[in-house]
Amino acid sequence: MIDKFLKTITNKPQKRPAELEACVKAIVMMKAATVLGDEFDLKGLKAVNPLRYPETIDSLKQYIKLLEAYDFIEILDETDKDNLICRFNKPFLRETLYQIVLFRD
């Protein structure tokens, strides 16, 4: 599923390097979210930020919106402007990614 996502975004000629970077960071953030459980929030995700550089809430929201657009997660509550509550659309996706994270570490 993630491989298909990556192939889709890399095969589109109109994608700019910044968009590809955002897609890759979104996947890294999704892997980090697996540690938080089926449901997670933006503040928790920021706390376990696996990216090298500190990310702003706005950039994290951008990654979340990207993952939602590709149907990996869904946003449950976005009433708080500094926090989003999300969950994985497919529990097997979260579990598989979590197992990969555990195996590789």
Side-chain angles (χ1 to χ4, degrees):
M1 181 181 263
I2 293 174
D3 291 338
K4 182 179 176 184
F5 169 65
L6 286 173
K7 286 177 185 175
T8 301
I9 62 171
T10 55
N11 287 336
K12 291 184 178 178
Q14 69 271 18
K15 289 285 185 189
R16 295 185 303 273
E19 291 175 290
L20 291 174
E21 181 180 347
C23 291
V24 170
K25 284 184 176 183
I27 291 172
V28 172
M29 294 306 289
M30 183 172 55
K31 285 182 177 181
T34 64
V35 176
L36 300 173
D38 288 330
E39 290 187 11
F40 58 94
D41 66 349
L42 202 57
K43 289 181 181 180
L45 195 55
K46 187 171 172 52
V48 297
N49 182 8
L51 302 173
R52 215 175 245 188
Y53 304 102
E55 296 289 327
T56 63
I57 291 291
D58 290 333
S59 63
L60 293 177
K61 281 183 182 179
Q62 174 191 357
Y63 306 146
I64 294 293
K65 296 283 185 180
L66 184 63
L67 292 171
E68 182 185 38
Y70 282 94
D71 202 33
F72 289 112
I73 64 167
E74 69 177 306
I75 298 174
L76 300 175
D77 183 16
E78 52 186 321
T79 54
D80 183 358
K81 67 177 180 125
D82 293 330
N83 197 21
L84 298 174
I85 298 173
C86 309
R87 78 171 168 201
F88 286 88
N89 273 347
K90 298 162 183 72
F92 76 89
L93 173 64
R94 183 221 163 243
E95 184 61 32
T96 302
L97 287 173
Y98 183 67
Q99 293 299 327
I100 290 170
V101 168
L102 288 178
F103 180 73
R104 289 193 178 164
D105 290 339

